[in-house]
Amino acid sequence: MNIDTQKEGSTARLLLNGRFDFNSHVVFNQSTDSLLKDAGVDELELDFDQVKYIDSSAMGMLLLLKERAKGASKSITLLNCKGSVAQVFELSNFRRLFTIK
């Protein structure tokens, strides 16, 4: 998976591209760690527009990110979830845990 980051004001948008699975953990953690430490960032938006596949380990990474973001007083929003990704989030009740737009 590739991740491009765009910052606008206090919002950082991570544009995810490719399969979001266990093999993505290093790049995902590197991308999110720096943003969680950035005092100028209040919200992380994860854009799933180019993600066609997500597995349970990636969902675990999102849950860990949510916990870490809460500890850093930052919010997480999941954007452009569609197809099988949207179905996985719906079946796992992620709408109760995350803001999904």
Side-chain angles (χ1 to χ4, degrees):
M1 178 172 70
N2 295 317
I3 300 175
D4 291 320
T5 303
Q6 301 172 343
K7 286 173 52 175
E8 185 174 318
S10 63
T11 301
R13 180 174 287 190
L14 289 91
L15 305 167
L16 311 176
N17 188 338
R19 292 174 57 94
F20 192 11
D21 57 22
F22 178 76
N23 295 320
S24 307
H25 77 278
V26 172
V27 69
F28 184 77
N29 288 335
Q30 288 174 342
S31 296
T32 57
D33 282 349
S34 62
L35 295 171
L36 291 175
K37 294 175 185 173
D38 187 337
V41 173
D42 294 328
E43 179 178 10
L44 278 72
E45 296 179 336
L46 281 71
D47 190 331
F48 283 85
D49 186 55
Q50 297 300 311
V51 176
K52 306 294 185 232
Y53 175 84
I54 186 167
D55 71 3
S56 60
S57 62
M59 294 174 66
M61 287 183 251
L62 291 172
L63 293 172
L64 289 172
L65 174 62
K66 180 177 173 47
E67 287 297 313
R68 293 174 45 230
K70 182 179 178 183
S73 300
K74 299 181 190 303
S75 64
I76 304 288
T77 303
L78 309 181
L79 303 174
N80 300 316
C81 304
K82 57 189 178 186
S84 63
V85 173
Q87 288 177 334
V88 168
F89 288 161
E90 188 67 32
L91 291 171
S92 59
N93 285 320
F94 260 44
R95 289 199 179 279
R96 290 182 161 193
L97 304 171
F98 290 93
T99 300
I100 299 178
K101 295 182 182 178

